[in-house]
């Protein structure tokens, strides 16, 4: 079995915007051991020039994961989650994410290739705000081994 190269160019859009919640930002910050008060305290965030608590830099992974789940549910993705590991992840920010943002997300599969008996899938996720402005671009590489590898 191989990873279908026709996945390249496939796009997966979240059905509705994601509202960034203050308590979710705080819980995420605690989970990743972020300690800056701007992640927890509204007044500290406002004193630093933000409208509300600021999401840690890896927070876009929450929305990126939702796009990846759509990819994995696509019948063209003929591999199982149990054969997938996350190979790489990075983010390019246009502005910070703050509580109260309504974000849309669109994931696009940009590359599928074989590497040493595995398949590598690269995907780019663009997060946009309610005005349609780009907020973050998230890049992920999935390594597919086992039965789904080339």
């Amino acid at each position: 079995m191989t990873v279908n190269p026709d996945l390249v160019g496939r796009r997966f859009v979240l059905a509705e915007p994601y509202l960034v919640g203050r308590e979710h930002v705080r819980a995420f910050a605690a989970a990743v051991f972020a300690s800056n008060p701007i992640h927890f305290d509204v007044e500290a965030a406002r004193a630093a020039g933000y409208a509300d608590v600021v999401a840690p830099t890896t927070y876009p992974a929450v929305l990126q994961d939702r796009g990846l789940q759509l990819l994995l549910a696509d019948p063209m993705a003929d591999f199982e989650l149990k054969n997938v590991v996350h190979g790489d992840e990075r983010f390019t920010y246009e502005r910070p994410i703050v509580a109260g943002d309504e974000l849309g997300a669109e994931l696009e599969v940009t590359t599928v290739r074989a590497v040493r008996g595995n398949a590598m899938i690269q995907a780019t996720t663009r997060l946009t705000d309610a005005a349609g402005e780009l907020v973050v671009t998230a890049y992920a590489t999935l390594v597919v081994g086992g039965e789904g590898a080339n």
Side-chain angles (χ1 to χ4, degrees):
M1 178 186 288
T2 61
V3 172
N4 188 343
D6 291 338
L7 283 171
V8 175
R10 298 271 299 167
R11 294 173 185 248
F12 303 90
V13 179
L14 297 188
E16 57 186 61
Y18 179 90
L19 178 60
V20 178
R22 187 179 287 162
E23 291 308 316
H24 193 249
V25 168
R26 289 174 174 148
F28 187 92
V32 298
F33 304 106
S35 59
N36 192 319
I38 65 172
H39 302 307
F40 301 95
D41 182 359
V42 175
E43 293 310 315
R46 289 184 178 151
Y50 301 102
D52 210 307
V53 292
V54 180
T57 55
T58 55
Y59 189 83
V62 172
L63 288 141
Q64 185 180 44
D65 178 65
R66 291 176 181 227
L68 291 171
Q69 293 303 318
L70 294 174
L71 164 63
L72 291 171
D74 187 313
M76 289 180 66
D78 53 355
F79 51 90
E80 295 184 37
L81 181 59
K82 70 179 183 180
N83 295 324
V84 177
V85 295
H86 216 163
D88 181 34
E89 187 170 54
R90 60 190 164 88
F91 308 99
T92 302
Y93 273 82
E94 302 301 319
R95 69 163 176 85
I97 295 172
V98 297
D101 277 336
E102 275 194 22
L103 300 175
E106 179 180 87
L107 178 142
E108 178 181 7
V109 176
T110 55
T111 306
V112 173
R113 63 187 170 106
V115 178
R116 298 184 190 153
N118 296 311
M120 296 184 73
I121 301 170
Q122 293 179 312
T124 300
T125 304
R126 294 172 43 91
L127 306 182
T128 53
D129 63 18
E133 297 294 321
L134 181 63
V135 177
V136 177
T137 305
Y139 304 92
T141 301
L142 303 177
V143 180
V144 182
E147 297 172 7
N150 284 328

